[in-house]
Amino acid sequence: MRVAIIGQGYVGLTITSGAISAGFEVIGIDKSQFVVKGLNSGKSHIEGISDQQIASAISSGRFKASGDFSDLANSEIVVIAVPTPLSQSGEPDLALLESASASIAPFLNAETLVINESTSYAGTLRNVIAARVNAVNPKVKYFAVSPERVDPGNKSFGVKNTPRLVGGITDEAANRAVSFYSSFCDYVIKVSSPEVAESAKLLENSFRFINIGFINEFAQLMNTMGIPVSEVIAAAGTKPYGFMPFFPNVGIGGHCIPVDPLYLQKNALDHGVMSRYIKLSEELNHEMPKYCVGRLEELYGSLKGKHLLLVGVSYKPDISDTRESPAE
């Protein structure tokens, strides 16, 4: 089958690689001409996908990158994998997702399956993507969601062995999406609705967001008491059940963990409620860069005129992704 994947970043190119490995013909759409040119010359721009994989797919004729949405015509499946960041005011920004939905619509047929991988709040597939596609092309009827679970730089879990959730607006859409992902993923779990899949992704990262906020606060408490926090965490980590270690840090970074909980908060506010845990954790995590600078000043006095070396600017080791990096 022919698959079009909208967005060729960390998520999109990872799915592109998986689909190619399963024998699909893939067209990768990206607005960046730098990305398109690089891919078509056999060069990968993300960790985990080698130049050799891309070059081999290009030479076999099973992959092409393009900036032209009309190139996705006649694709049986269209996967949307574009960023869903926060606006400058900290609100969910679906502009790229909305634009992608409108851009693909004219080139879809009645049998095309549209899958969203971009993280967003519950109801996005039904009320944003399907609504915008059908406003332009009412014959499109198959919509599913499978929230991405890409962890750049993770050498233990990749697209093949990370369990994948799938929810569809109709059973047929969900079943077709399950069939697609099962061709290159070991575990595919069908859930009862798109909203369950969308909310599960927000829960996964909100869990980490809140626990990172707590451990950052705990580190400050231990520092005040003169107790080495690293040793405390290691000691607690000897318990074989009921505890998961988190580690204090200069803040919170990456495209998912600092962002996704605020999509959940937006969902909650739309229903007249608010997560106090998310609100407090956001405050704690955003205060950490200032706290770390304060600790440096306690140790070394004023930083004015001093030279500082920051080791590690990406949000975690061994990757080049600096999005939302607290080091900045």
Side-chain angles (χ1 to χ4, degrees), residues 24-25 27 41 43 92 96 100 123 147 160 215 227 243 268 270 280 317:
F24 294 101
E25 176 191 343
I27 175 75
S41 65
K43 301 294 183 183
L96 292 173
K160 180 172 173 56
I215 205 67
I227 301 171
F243 179 78
D270 286 345
L280 179 58

Side-chain angles (χ1 to χ4, degrees), residues 16-295:
T16 292
S17 176
I20 290 169
S21 72
F24 294 101
E25 176 191 343
V26 179
I27 175 75
I29 305 291
D30 200 280
K31 68 176 184 178
S32 168
Q33 286 305 305
F34 173 81
V35 168
V36 170
K37 185 177 179 181
L39 290 173
N40 284 332
S41 65
K43 301 294 183 183
S44 171
H45 56 282
I46 69 168
E47 294 87 355
I49 308 295
S50 69
D51 291 349
Q52 184 179 359
Q53 287 174 276
I54 300 300
S56 176
I58 292 286
S59 63
S60 71
R62 288 191 291 115
F63 176 57
K64 180 182 111 173
S66 173
D68 187 349
F69 279 89
S70 67
D71 283 341
L72 65 82
N74 301 317
S75 296
E76 285 92 344
I77 298 173
V78 176
V79 179
I80 302 174
V82 299
T84 46
L86 298 175
S87 67
Q88 289 187 339
S89 62
E91 297 291 319
D93 182 358
L94 298 185
L96 292 173
L97 189 60
E98 292 168 349
S99 174
S101 302
S103 296
I104 66 174
F107 308 106
L108 307 177
N109 59 54
E111 297 302 312
T112 308
L113 170 64
V114 177
I115 302 174
N116 179 42
E117 288 218 14
S118 302
T119 303
S120 187
Y121 47 77
T124 296
L125 179 71
R126 196 183 302 270
N127 302 323
V128 177
I129 296 173
R132 276 170 172 72
V133 168
N134 287 149
V136 176
N137 190 342
K139 65 188 177 186
V140 182
K141 56 189 175 183
Y142 298 114
F143 296 92
V145 62
S146 184
E148 59 91 0
R149 281 175 166 171
V150 174
D151 187 14
N154 192 323
K155 292 178 171 54
S156 299
F157 289 98
V159 68
K160 180 172 173 56
N161 66 343
T162 300
R164 177 169 286 277
L165 303 177
V166 169
I169 289 180
T170 63
D171 268 349
E172 186 170 356
N175 291 339
R176 287 181 61 190
V178 167
S179 178
F180 168 64
Y181 286 109
S182 294
S183 67
F184 57 91
C185 300
D186 292 339
Y187 311 103
V188 182
I189 300 102
K190 178 182 172 183
V191 297
S192 62
S193 71
E195 288 77 15
V196 169
E198 290 165 333
S199 297
K201 175 61 187 291
L202 300 184
L203 174 60
E204 294 165 20
N205 283 340
S206 295
F207 168 82
R208 295 176 68 187
F209 182 82
I210 289 166
N211 278 284
I212 291 169
F214 169 68
I215 205 67
N216 282 334
E217 182 184 52
F218 183 77
Q220 295 180 42
L221 296 176
M222 291 295 97
N223 177 59
T224 301
M225 299 176 193
I227 301 171
V229 66
S230 296
E231 188 177 352
V232 173
I233 295 169
T238 62
K239 185 178 180 181
Y241 57 88
F243 179 78
M244 178 182 292
F246 285 79
F247 302 93
N249 48 75
V250 70
I252 190 166
H255 184 57
C256 291
I257 298 175
V259 174
D260 296 355
L262 302 187
Y263 274 73
L264 178 57
Q265 187 75 290
K266 194 268 183 194
N267 232 170
L269 291 170
D270 286 345
H271 287 80
V273 294
M274 181 185 72
S275 168
R276 289 176 288 171
Y277 277 110
I278 290 175
K279 185 175 186 296
L280 179 58
S281 299
E282 182 185 13
E283 292 172 0
L284 288 166
N285 289 325
H286 284 174
E287 287 171 1
M288 285 306 292
K290 183 177 179 180
Y291 173 78
C292 289
V293 170
R295 290 282 290 121

